[in-house]
Amino acid sequence: MFCAGVRFFAAGTALFVFALLRGAPRPSSREWRSLGIIGTLMFSMTYGALFWGEQYVPSGITSVLEATLPLMTMLLEVFVVRQQRFRWSVLLAMATGLCGVTLTMFSGGRSITGGFAVVPCLVILGGSASWSLGAVLTRSLPLPKSRLVTAGAEMMLGGGMLLLLSLASGELRPFPVIPPRAVFALAYLIVAGSLVGFTAFVWLLQRMPPAVWRATLS
């Protein structure tokens, strides 16, 4: 949780401050509430579950579990919040993506028959469901017009909560020392995965249903 919290709090704070310096208006109290809900769902719960679960689950299995995101998103969109109609073409795209991830994992003679814990797998799936719910709610909750403010505030709030959870869980006693190679990896995730990737995600959510772009990415 400490690693995830540092990643998102640093990226979110930098993006949020940059947006304000460019003249973007500050979020209203109603918008802050929406940002807090989405930040909790998409960052605190999702990445807290993912980073914890990957201590016990191989990355190949994790990628297959994460590839169920489009299905969860479509179920929420179609049958829960009723934002979209059911379309077979979207279901086909999701199935194709899931099969592609699975085949990639099996390439080179790898298999999923090795021992792994069931509970961490369920925790990762729960985190994926949380991300899907946050993505769906993004299209219905009142949010700032500035995409940079929205992306930055969501990451900043979600990352801040992860840091508080890290502190409460005892991860910071003693304070962790991050090796140089890990610092480089963390910096890459902050820039490419968060500053660039999530900002593009927020922009895309305003133009496409979540299930469609999730199926495309898979």
Side-chain angles (χ1 to χ4, degrees):
M1 286 183 288
F2 174 74
C3 180
V6 169
R7 170 187 171 181
F8 292 116
F9 186 76
T13 302
L15 195 60
F16 183 74
V17 171
F18 174 75
L20 294 184
L21 292 176
R22 292 190 60 187
R26 296 176 180 272
S28 64
S29 57
R30 188 182 180 193
E31 291 169 343
W32 273 119
R33 184 167 59 250
S34 299
L35 292 167
I37 292 172
I38 296 175
T40 299
L41 290 171
M42 300 187 70
F43 293 101
S44 302
M45 296 180 65
T46 300
Y47 285 93
L50 179 63
F51 277 53
W52 177 83
E54 280 202 301
Q55 297 177 97
Y56 312 100
V57 181
S59 58
I61 297 175
T62 301
S63 66
V64 175
L65 294 174
E66 289 292 296
T68 62
L69 268 169
L71 178 60
M72 295 184 187
T73 305
M74 188 195 72
L75 292 175
L76 288 171
E77 277 190 306
V78 175
F79 299 108
V80 180
V81 300
R82 300 185 183 276
Q83 290 180 349
Q84 302 291 331
R85 294 182 302 169
F86 176 79
R87 289 183 290 171
W88 285 105
S89 58
V90 175
L91 181 61
L92 178 61
M94 289 188 292
T96 303
L98 181 59
C99 290
V101 173
T102 305
L103 289 173
T104 300
M105 189 190 70
F106 275 109
S107 65
R110 289 175 290 181
S111 70
I112 61 173
T113 57
F116 60 92
V118 174
V119 172
C121 289
L122 295 176
V123 171
I124 292 174
L125 281 174
S128 298
S130 178
W131 175 279
S132 296
L133 179 59
V136 171
L137 291 178
T138 296
R139 296 174 61 87
S140 57
L141 291 177
L143 294 170
K145 293 182 178 180
S146 170
R147 306 291 184 267
L148 296 180
V149 169
T150 298
E154 289 173 356
M155 286 192 289
M156 180 175 64
L157 294 173
M161 185 170 294
L162 282 168
L163 290 176
L164 290 177
L165 290 172
S166 175
L167 178 63
S169 68
E171 284 186 344
L172 303 185
R173 295 190 299 269
F175 192 83
V177 178
I178 305 177
R181 292 182 63 184
V183 170
F184 176 79
L186 186 59
Y188 172 81
L189 288 174
I190 290 173
V191 176
S194 299
L195 288 175
V196 178
F198 188 67
T199 303
F201 155 79
V202 171
W203 178 88
L204 191 60
L205 262 185
Q206 306 301 320
R207 291 158 175 79
M208 294 177 64
V212 173
W213 62 258
R214 281 304 315 186
T216 303
L217 290 179
S218 294

